[in-house]
Amino acid sequence: MTAIANPSVSIQDLSLNFGAISVLETLNLDVAEGEFIVLLGPSGCGKSTLLNCIAGLLDISDGRIFIKGKNVTWEEPKDRGIGMVFQSYALYPQMTVERNLSFGLRVAGLPKEEIAKRIARASEILQIEPLLQRKPAALSGGQRQRVAIGRALVRDVDVFLFDEPLSNLDAKLRSELRVEIKLLHRKLENTMIYVTHDQIEAMTLADRIAVMKGGVIQQLDAPQTIYNRPVNRFVAGFLGSPAMNFLEGRLEKDGSNWHFAVEDVRIPLSTYTFEREPTPVPAVFGIRPEHVAFNSGAGWPFTATTSVEVVEPMGSDTLVWLKLGGQNFTVRVTSERTPNNADTVNIGFDPMRASLFDAQTGNRL
Ligand SMILES: Nc1ncnc2c1ncn2[C@@H]1O[C@H](COP(=O)(O)OP(=O)(O)OP(=O)(O)O)[C@@H](O)[C@H]1O
Ligand SMILES: [Mg+2]
């Protein structure tokens, strides 16, 4: 992990236990000034716990947290320079939108004119000016979430923390607000740490994604790097829909050339970039469904003949299920000319696009 000079948020050797259960163990993460970091991972992997530690809503068991160079490990949440937006909007139902937005500022004793100025700015950015005199019950889900974001916005903070802010919204609204959050980040240029288990949100919003599993950051990289060069089988399988194909077999050497072998299939690996000098081990060969093509005689390093088992049209593209080396294998095609059930087809791909993993450790080879 390359060090970041003057990180906006720096988490150092953070551990958190709930009683005897360790949820986070010596976790390290540096977030650059103005960076949009997404914490991505399956349910229960510790995303919210990590965010709540940064916010100061949980007392950590060990480690240190710095925000803007200041050690805030034992600071109150309100003194950390953070604004947090939750999945449940947590608006006060009896207050108007305007009162909801100003509540924290009034408690903090800010002058009236300053409060008015900040509310005007936030409601303009979020386009909620017409809603200011309504109560939350008279708002749609998307409008409520905008108000919740507005409440963080008026606090004029350095760092925004979002915990699955869009997961209560329907798919259409979710994608609209996703774009708004992206524009908001571009406009404000604040540091943002955003929790989600939605890989589309992660891929589209993040400067860098931290993929988590069991309280451990598995990989911290730009979205394209995570997608194209996953460090282990877990990361490879977690991102991508339909999921990456995995073939279980062996890494073998033939003269000076490595190949991947399963049943009668031999996949040459001369175009594959190994992490380090390989050894003959049980291995998993992974390739994404969109990196496989049909019927093109375009001189692929690997081709095979097989038969189609199931064809699934998905609207913009089609998923074709077949067998390779006796194992399930899917191909994603966008062309009009898709094969039919039971057709015999030629498939081809370049192992340059593949990911190879050690079968035992799951680590990239
Ligand atoms: N107050 C608590 N006491 C004991 N265990 C807890 C507590 N809060 C969370 N946990 C456990 O810590 C682990 C991480 O929980 P966390 O809420 O951080 O997961 P998450 O990644 O945010 O999941 P989700 O995507 O479902 O929100 C889980 O196993 C959870 O059961
Ligand atoms: Mg959570």
Side-chain angles (χ1 to χ4, degrees), residues 187-216:
K187 202 175 294 180
L188 301 176
E189 298 180 331
N190 285 51
T191 306
M192 297 194 172
I193 305 180
Y194 186 105
V195 164
T196 184
H197 56 249
D198 182 325
Q199 49 167 309
I200 308 285
E201 276 174 37
M203 290 293 292
T204 53
L205 289 171
D207 292 319
R208 288 190 300 163
I209 300 175
V211 183
M212 292 178 68
K213 180 192 169 196
V216 176

PDB file of all heavy atoms in Angstrom, residues 187-216:
ATOM      1  N   LYS A 187     -18.681  18.880  -6.812  1.00  0.00           N
ATOM      2  CA  LYS A 187     -18.886  20.274  -6.450  1.00  0.00           C
ATOM      3  C   LYS A 187     -18.183  20.625  -5.147  1.00  0.00           C
ATOM      4  O   LYS A 187     -17.517  21.640  -5.029  1.00  0.00           O
ATOM      5  CB  LYS A 187     -20.403  20.522  -6.309  1.00  0.00           C
ATOM      6  CG  LYS A 187     -20.792  21.969  -6.458  1.00  0.00           C
ATOM      7  CD  LYS A 187     -22.316  22.139  -6.427  1.00  0.00           C
ATOM      8  CE  LYS A 187     -23.050  21.511  -7.606  1.00  0.00           C
ATOM      9  NZ  LYS A 187     -24.497  21.684  -7.567  1.00  0.00           N
ATOM     10  N   LEU A 188     -18.319  19.779  -4.140  1.00  0.00           N
ATOM     11  CA  LEU A 188     -17.808  20.092  -2.800  1.00  0.00           C
ATOM     12  C   LEU A 188     -16.344  19.745  -2.627  1.00  0.00           C
ATOM     13  O   LEU A 188     -15.643  20.352  -1.836  1.00  0.00           O
ATOM     14  CB  LEU A 188     -18.611  19.335  -1.734  1.00  0.00           C
ATOM     15  CG  LEU A 188     -20.103  19.595  -1.665  1.00  0.00           C
ATOM     16  CD1 LEU A 188     -20.731  18.683  -0.632  1.00  0.00           C
ATOM     17  CD2 LEU A 188     -20.381  21.048  -1.322  1.00  0.00           C
ATOM     18  N   GLU A 189     -15.913  18.724  -3.326  1.00  0.00           N
ATOM     19  CA  GLU A 189     -14.534  18.229  -3.217  1.00  0.00           C
ATOM     20  C   GLU A 189     -14.156  17.843  -1.791  1.00  0.00           C
ATOM     21  O   GLU A 189     -12.993  17.917  -1.400  1.00  0.00           O
ATOM     22  CB  GLU A 189     -13.540  19.257  -3.786  1.00  0.00           C
ATOM     23  CG  GLU A 189     -13.782  19.516  -5.261  1.00  0.00           C
ATOM     24  CD  GLU A 189     -12.820  20.521  -5.864  1.00  0.00           C
ATOM     25  OE1 GLU A 189     -12.339  21.402  -5.129  1.00  0.00           O
ATOM     26  OE2 GLU A 189     -12.543  20.400  -7.072  1.00  0.00           O
ATOM     27  N   ASN A 190     -15.154  17.405  -1.000  1.00  0.00           N
ATOM     28  CA  ASN A 190     -14.874  16.889   0.345  1.00  0.00           C
ATOM     29  C   ASN A 190     -14.361  15.455   0.255  1.00  0.00           C
ATOM     30  O   ASN A 190     -14.588  14.769  -0.727  1.00  0.00           O
ATOM     31  CB  ASN A 190     -16.164  16.810   1.165  1.00  0.00           C
ATOM     32  CG  ASN A 190     -16.630  18.144   1.630  1.00  0.00           C
ATOM     33  OD1 ASN A 190     -16.727  19.040   0.824  1.00  0.00           O
ATOM     34  ND2 ASN A 190     -16.940  18.259   2.900  1.00  0.00           N
ATOM     35  N   THR A 191     -13.749  15.024   1.340  1.00  0.00           N
ATOM     36  CA  THR A 191     -13.443  13.605   1.480  1.00  0.00           C
ATOM     37  C   THR A 191     -14.746  12.869   1.790  1.00  0.00           C
ATOM     38  O   THR A 191     -15.533  13.333   2.612  1.00  0.00           O
ATOM     39  CB  THR A 191     -12.462  13.405   2.654  1.00  0.00           C
ATOM     40  OG1 THR A 191     -11.340  14.253   2.435  1.00  0.00           O
ATOM     41  CG2 THR A 191     -12.029  11.961   2.765  1.00  0.00           C
ATOM     42  N   MET A 192     -14.967  11.762   1.110  1.00  0.00           N
ATOM     43  CA  MET A 192     -16.182  10.995   1.380  1.00  0.00           C
ATOM     44  C   MET A 192     -15.838   9.533   1.597  1.00  0.00           C
ATOM     45  O   MET A 192     -15.059   8.961   0.841  1.00  0.00           O
ATOM     46  CB  MET A 192     -17.174  11.137   0.226  1.00  0.00           C
ATOM     47  CG  MET A 192     -17.649  12.570   0.030  1.00  0.00           C
ATOM     48  SD  MET A 192     -19.084  12.702  -1.033  1.00  0.00           S
ATOM     49  CE  MET A 192     -19.500  14.436  -0.845  1.00  0.00           C
ATOM     50  N   ILE A 193     -16.422   8.957   2.638  1.00  0.00           N
ATOM     51  CA  ILE A 193     -16.275   7.517   2.878  1.00  0.00           C
ATOM     52  C   ILE A 193     -17.677   6.935   2.855  1.00  0.00           C
ATOM     53  O   ILE A 193     -18.559   7.364   3.613  1.00  0.00           O
ATOM     54  CB  ILE A 193     -15.573   7.231   4.222  1.00  0.00           C
ATOM     55  CG1 ILE A 193     -14.227   7.966   4.268  1.00  0.00           C
ATOM     56  CG2 ILE A 193     -15.371   5.726   4.402  1.00  0.00           C
ATOM     57  CD1 ILE A 193     -13.454   7.760   5.557  1.00  0.00           C
ATOM     58  N   TYR A 194     -17.887   6.000   1.950  1.00  0.00           N
ATOM     59  CA  TYR A 194     -19.235   5.590   1.579  1.00  0.00           C
ATOM     60  C   TYR A 194     -19.340   4.069   1.695  1.00  0.00           C
ATOM     61  O   TYR A 194     -18.581   3.341   1.048  1.00  0.00           O
ATOM     62  CB  TYR A 194     -19.450   6.042   0.134  1.00  0.00           C
ATOM     63  CG  TYR A 194     -20.816   5.874  -0.450  1.00  0.00           C
ATOM     64  CD1 TYR A 194     -21.657   6.968  -0.618  1.00  0.00           C
ATOM     65  CD2 TYR A 194     -21.264   4.633  -0.886  1.00  0.00           C
ATOM     66  CE1 TYR A 194     -22.908   6.827  -1.188  1.00  0.00           C
ATOM     67  CE2 TYR A 194     -22.523   4.478  -1.453  1.00  0.00           C
ATOM     68  CZ  TYR A 194     -23.342   5.589  -1.606  1.00  0.00           C
ATOM     69  OH  TYR A 194     -24.580   5.444  -2.183  1.00  0.00           O
ATOM     70  N   VAL A 195     -20.263   3.612   2.519  1.00  0.00           N
ATOM     71  CA  VAL A 195     -20.435   2.172   2.718  1.00  0.00           C
ATOM     72  C   VAL A 195     -21.554   1.648   1.824  1.00  0.00           C
ATOM     73  O   VAL A 195     -22.625   2.250   1.750  1.00  0.00           O
ATOM     74  CB  VAL A 195     -20.802   1.877   4.189  1.00  0.00           C
ATOM     75  CG1 VAL A 195     -21.362   0.473   4.346  1.00  0.00           C
ATOM     76  CG2 VAL A 195     -19.598   2.081   5.088  1.00  0.00           C
ATOM     77  N   THR A 196     -21.305   0.546   1.169  1.00  0.00           N
ATOM     78  CA  THR A 196     -22.372  -0.084   0.388  1.00  0.00           C
ATOM     79  C   THR A 196     -22.051  -1.560   0.200  1.00  0.00           C
ATOM     80  O   THR A 196     -20.912  -1.985   0.362  1.00  0.00           O
ATOM     81  CB  THR A 196     -22.552   0.596  -0.985  1.00  0.00           C
ATOM     82  OG1 THR A 196     -23.664   0.005  -1.653  1.00  0.00           O
ATOM     83  CG2 THR A 196     -21.326   0.461  -1.865  1.00  0.00           C
ATOM     84  N   HIS A 197     -23.091  -2.358  -0.100  1.00  0.00           N
ATOM     85  CA  HIS A 197     -22.769  -3.694  -0.595  1.00  0.00           C
ATOM     86  C   HIS A 197     -23.190  -3.815  -2.056  1.00  0.00           C
ATOM     87  O   HIS A 197     -23.212  -4.901  -2.613  1.00  0.00           O
ATOM     88  CB  HIS A 197     -23.345  -4.807   0.298  1.00  0.00           C
ATOM     89  CG  HIS A 197     -24.817  -4.743   0.508  1.00  0.00           C
ATOM     90  ND1 HIS A 197     -25.377  -4.425   1.712  1.00  0.00           N
ATOM     91  CD2 HIS A 197     -25.830  -4.940  -0.341  1.00  0.00           C
ATOM     92  CE1 HIS A 197     -26.690  -4.432   1.593  1.00  0.00           C
ATOM     93  NE2 HIS A 197     -26.984  -4.736   0.352  1.00  0.00           N
ATOM     94  N   ASP A 198     -23.488  -2.645  -2.647  1.00  0.00           N
ATOM     95  CA  ASP A 198     -23.893  -2.601  -4.052  1.00  0.00           C
ATOM     96  C   ASP A 198     -22.669  -2.326  -4.924  1.00  0.00           C
ATOM     97  O   ASP A 198     -22.075  -1.245  -4.879  1.00  0.00           O
ATOM     98  CB  ASP A 198     -24.944  -1.501  -4.211  1.00  0.00           C
ATOM     99  CG  ASP A 198     -25.470  -1.387  -5.629  1.00  0.00           C
ATOM    100  OD1 ASP A 198     -24.703  -1.602  -6.598  1.00  0.00           O
ATOM    101  OD2 ASP A 198     -26.652  -1.054  -5.777  1.00  0.00           O
ATOM    102  N   GLN A 199     -22.286  -3.303  -5.715  1.00  0.00           N
ATOM    103  CA  GLN A 199     -21.042  -3.166  -6.484  1.00  0.00           C
ATOM    104  C   GLN A 199     -21.146  -2.106  -7.573  1.00  0.00           C
ATOM    105  O   GLN A 199     -20.142  -1.490  -7.939  1.00  0.00           O
ATOM    106  CB  GLN A 199     -20.634  -4.503  -7.077  1.00  0.00           C
ATOM    107  CG  GLN A 199     -21.759  -5.202  -7.780  1.00  0.00           C
ATOM    108  CD  GLN A 199     -21.241  -6.334  -8.613  1.00  0.00           C
ATOM    109  OE1 GLN A 199     -20.328  -6.169  -9.395  1.00  0.00           O
ATOM    110  NE2 GLN A 199     -21.832  -7.499  -8.460  1.00  0.00           N
ATOM    111  N   ILE A 200     -22.357  -1.851  -8.066  1.00  0.00           N
ATOM    112  CA  ILE A 200     -22.502  -0.801  -9.082  1.00  0.00           C
ATOM    113  C   ILE A 200     -22.207   0.562  -8.454  1.00  0.00           C
ATOM    114  O   ILE A 200     -21.482   1.389  -9.019  1.00  0.00           O
ATOM    115  CB  ILE A 200     -23.930  -0.791  -9.691  1.00  0.00           C
ATOM    116  CG1 ILE A 200     -24.332  -2.174 -10.174  1.00  0.00           C
ATOM    117  CG2 ILE A 200     -24.046   0.245 -10.796  1.00  0.00           C
ATOM    118  CD1 ILE A 200     -23.703  -2.632 -11.451  1.00  0.00           C
ATOM    119  N   GLU A 201     -22.786   0.810  -7.264  1.00  0.00           N
ATOM    120  CA  GLU A 201     -22.486   2.059  -6.559  1.00  0.00           C
ATOM    121  C   GLU A 201     -20.985   2.184  -6.326  1.00  0.00           C
ATOM    122  O   GLU A 201     -20.401   3.251  -6.528  1.00  0.00           O
ATOM    123  CB  GLU A 201     -23.200   2.102  -5.201  1.00  0.00           C
ATOM    124  CG  GLU A 201     -24.618   2.587  -5.285  1.00  0.00           C
ATOM    125  CD  GLU A 201     -25.339   2.484  -3.945  1.00  0.00           C
ATOM    126  OE1 GLU A 201     -24.721   2.713  -2.896  1.00  0.00           O
ATOM    127  OE2 GLU A 201     -26.539   2.156  -3.972  1.00  0.00           O
ATOM    128  N   ALA A 202     -20.381   1.088  -5.908  1.00  0.00           N
ATOM    129  CA  ALA A 202     -18.946   1.129  -5.619  1.00  0.00           C
ATOM    130  C   ALA A 202     -18.151   1.461  -6.882  1.00  0.00           C
ATOM    131  O   ALA A 202     -17.303   2.357  -6.886  1.00  0.00           O
ATOM    132  CB  ALA A 202     -18.489  -0.208  -5.043  1.00  0.00           C
ATOM    133  N   MET A 203     -18.444   0.766  -7.967  1.00  0.00           N
ATOM    134  CA  MET A 203     -17.692   0.962  -9.210  1.00  0.00           C
ATOM    135  C   MET A 203     -17.875   2.381  -9.752  1.00  0.00           C
ATOM    136  O   MET A 203     -16.932   2.980 -10.270  1.00  0.00           O
ATOM    137  CB  MET A 203     -18.141  -0.043 -10.283  1.00  0.00           C
ATOM    138  CG  MET A 203     -17.760  -1.484 -10.032  1.00  0.00           C
ATOM    139  SD  MET A 203     -15.995  -1.829 -10.092  1.00  0.00           S
ATOM    140  CE  MET A 203     -15.622  -1.576 -11.822  1.00  0.00           C
ATOM    141  N   THR A 204     -19.104   2.910  -9.667  1.00  0.00           N
ATOM    142  CA  THR A 204     -19.368   4.193 -10.302  1.00  0.00           C
ATOM    143  C   THR A 204     -18.930   5.379  -9.446  1.00  0.00           C
ATOM    144  O   THR A 204     -18.554   6.416  -9.981  1.00  0.00           O
ATOM    145  CB  THR A 204     -20.868   4.355 -10.632  1.00  0.00           C
ATOM    146  OG1 THR A 204     -21.616   4.114  -9.437  1.00  0.00           O
ATOM    147  CG2 THR A 204     -21.313   3.396 -11.706  1.00  0.00           C
ATOM    148  N   LEU A 205     -18.986   5.249  -8.116  1.00  0.00           N
ATOM    149  CA  LEU A 205     -18.709   6.401  -7.264  1.00  0.00           C
ATOM    150  C   LEU A 205     -17.256   6.526  -6.832  1.00  0.00           C
ATOM    151  O   LEU A 205     -16.735   7.618  -6.658  1.00  0.00           O
ATOM    152  CB  LEU A 205     -19.583   6.345  -6.004  1.00  0.00           C
ATOM    153  CG  LEU A 205     -21.075   6.609  -6.185  1.00  0.00           C
ATOM    154  CD1 LEU A 205     -21.821   6.305  -4.889  1.00  0.00           C
ATOM    155  CD2 LEU A 205     -21.319   8.040  -6.610  1.00  0.00           C
ATOM    156  N   ALA A 206     -16.592   5.399  -6.659  1.00  0.00           N
ATOM    157  CA  ALA A 206     -15.326   5.409  -5.925  1.00  0.00           C
ATOM    158  C   ALA A 206     -14.140   5.911  -6.737  1.00  0.00           C
ATOM    159  O   ALA A 206     -14.022   5.634  -7.921  1.00  0.00           O
ATOM    160  CB  ALA A 206     -15.012   4.008  -5.415  1.00  0.00           C
ATOM    161  N   ASP A 207     -13.252   6.672  -6.054  1.00  0.00           N
ATOM    162  CA  ASP A 207     -11.892   6.835  -6.561  1.00  0.00           C
ATOM    163  C   ASP A 207     -11.130   5.546  -6.264  1.00  0.00           C
ATOM    164  O   ASP A 207     -10.415   5.035  -7.093  1.00  0.00           O
ATOM    165  CB  ASP A 207     -11.190   8.005  -5.869  1.00  0.00           C
ATOM    166  CG  ASP A 207     -11.817   9.333  -6.245  1.00  0.00           C
ATOM    167  OD1 ASP A 207     -12.142   9.502  -7.429  1.00  0.00           O
ATOM    168  OD2 ASP A 207     -11.994  10.186  -5.357  1.00  0.00           O
ATOM    169  N   ARG A 208     -11.311   5.064  -5.019  1.00  0.00           N
ATOM    170  CA  ARG A 208     -10.768   3.756  -4.662  1.00  0.00           C
ATOM    171  C   ARG A 208     -11.813   2.973  -3.877  1.00  0.00           C
ATOM    172  O   ARG A 208     -12.583   3.551  -3.113  1.00  0.00           O
ATOM    173  CB  ARG A 208      -9.504   3.912  -3.800  1.00  0.00           C
ATOM    174  CG  ARG A 208      -8.293   4.408  -4.588  1.00  0.00           C
ATOM    175  CD  ARG A 208      -7.030   4.311  -3.756  1.00  0.00           C
ATOM    176  NE  ARG A 208      -7.122   5.104  -2.538  1.00  0.00           N
ATOM    177  CZ  ARG A 208      -6.312   4.937  -1.482  1.00  0.00           C
ATOM    178  NH1 ARG A 208      -5.388   4.004  -1.503  1.00  0.00           N
ATOM    179  NH2 ARG A 208      -6.453   5.706  -0.413  1.00  0.00           N
ATOM    180  N   ILE A 209     -11.798   1.669  -4.077  1.00  0.00           N
ATOM    181  CA  ILE A 209     -12.704   0.779  -3.351  1.00  0.00           C
ATOM    182  C   ILE A 209     -11.876  -0.029  -2.359  1.00  0.00           C
ATOM    183  O   ILE A 209     -10.813  -0.546  -2.715  1.00  0.00           O
ATOM    184  CB  ILE A 209     -13.418  -0.203  -4.308  1.00  0.00           C
ATOM    185  CG1 ILE A 209     -14.239   0.546  -5.364  1.00  0.00           C
ATOM    186  CG2 ILE A 209     -14.302  -1.173  -3.544  1.00  0.00           C
ATOM    187  CD1 ILE A 209     -14.856  -0.378  -6.415  1.00  0.00           C
ATOM    188  N   ALA A 210     -12.377  -0.124  -1.119  1.00  0.00           N
ATOM    189  CA  ALA A 210     -11.791  -1.060  -0.158  1.00  0.00           C
ATOM    190  C   ALA A 210     -12.748  -2.242  -0.061  1.00  0.00           C
ATOM    191  O   ALA A 210     -13.862  -2.099   0.431  1.00  0.00           O
ATOM    192  CB  ALA A 210     -11.626  -0.400   1.201  1.00  0.00           C
ATOM    193  N   VAL A 211     -12.335  -3.392  -0.584  1.00  0.00           N
ATOM    194  CA  VAL A 211     -13.189  -4.581  -0.506  1.00  0.00           C
ATOM    195  C   VAL A 211     -12.900  -5.286   0.812  1.00  0.00           C
ATOM    196  O   VAL A 211     -11.751  -5.623   1.101  1.00  0.00           O
ATOM    197  CB  VAL A 211     -12.936  -5.548  -1.684  1.00  0.00           C
ATOM    198  CG1 VAL A 211     -13.901  -6.730  -1.609  1.00  0.00           C
ATOM    199  CG2 VAL A 211     -13.077  -4.841  -3.016  1.00  0.00           C
ATOM    200  N   MET A 212     -13.948  -5.458   1.621  1.00  0.00           N
ATOM    201  CA  MET A 212     -13.772  -6.039   2.950  1.00  0.00           C
ATOM    202  C   MET A 212     -14.395  -7.418   3.055  1.00  0.00           C
ATOM    203  O   MET A 212     -15.383  -7.724   2.407  1.00  0.00           O
ATOM    204  CB  MET A 212     -14.414  -5.140   4.015  1.00  0.00           C
ATOM    205  CG  MET A 212     -13.714  -3.804   4.195  1.00  0.00           C
ATOM    206  SD  MET A 212     -14.547  -2.771   5.416  1.00  0.00           S
ATOM    207  CE  MET A 212     -14.217  -3.685   6.927  1.00  0.00           C
ATOM    208  N   LYS A 213     -13.785  -8.242   3.889  1.00  0.00           N
ATOM    209  CA  LYS A 213     -14.359  -9.543   4.238  1.00  0.00           C
ATOM    210  C   LYS A 213     -13.888  -9.879   5.644  1.00  0.00           C
ATOM    211  O   LYS A 213     -12.703  -9.737   5.943  1.00  0.00           O
ATOM    212  CB  LYS A 213     -13.866 -10.600   3.249  1.00  0.00           C
ATOM    213  CG  LYS A 213     -14.387 -11.997   3.516  1.00  0.00           C
ATOM    214  CD  LYS A 213     -13.601 -12.989   2.677  1.00  0.00           C
ATOM    215  CE  LYS A 213     -13.896 -14.403   3.103  1.00  0.00           C
ATOM    216  NZ  LYS A 213     -12.882 -15.327   2.567  1.00  0.00           N
ATOM    217  N   GLY A 214     -14.808 -10.279   6.489  1.00  0.00           N
ATOM    218  CA  GLY A 214     -14.451 -10.671   7.850  1.00  0.00           C
ATOM    219  C   GLY A 214     -13.627  -9.628   8.579  1.00  0.00           C
ATOM    220  O   GLY A 214     -12.688  -9.958   9.308  1.00  0.00           O
ATOM    221  N   GLY A 215     -13.958  -8.353   8.404  1.00  0.00           N
ATOM    222  CA  GLY A 215     -13.269  -7.289   9.132  1.00  0.00           C
ATOM    223  C   GLY A 215     -11.895  -6.942   8.592  1.00  0.00           C
ATOM    224  O   GLY A 215     -11.183  -6.141   9.183  1.00  0.00           O
ATOM    225  N   VAL A 216     -11.531  -7.528   7.456  1.00  0.00           N
ATOM    226  CA  VAL A 216     -10.201  -7.286   6.885  1.00  0.00           C
ATOM    227  C   VAL A 216     -10.346  -6.689   5.492  1.00  0.00           C
ATOM    228  O   VAL A 216     -11.164  -7.164   4.690  1.00  0.00           O
ATOM    229  CB  VAL A 216      -9.393  -8.607   6.793  1.00  0.00           C
ATOM    230  CG1 VAL A 216      -8.056  -8.383   6.113  1.00  0.00           C
ATOM    231  CG2 VAL A 216      -9.215  -9.213   8.176  1.00  0.00           C
TER     232      VAL A 216
END
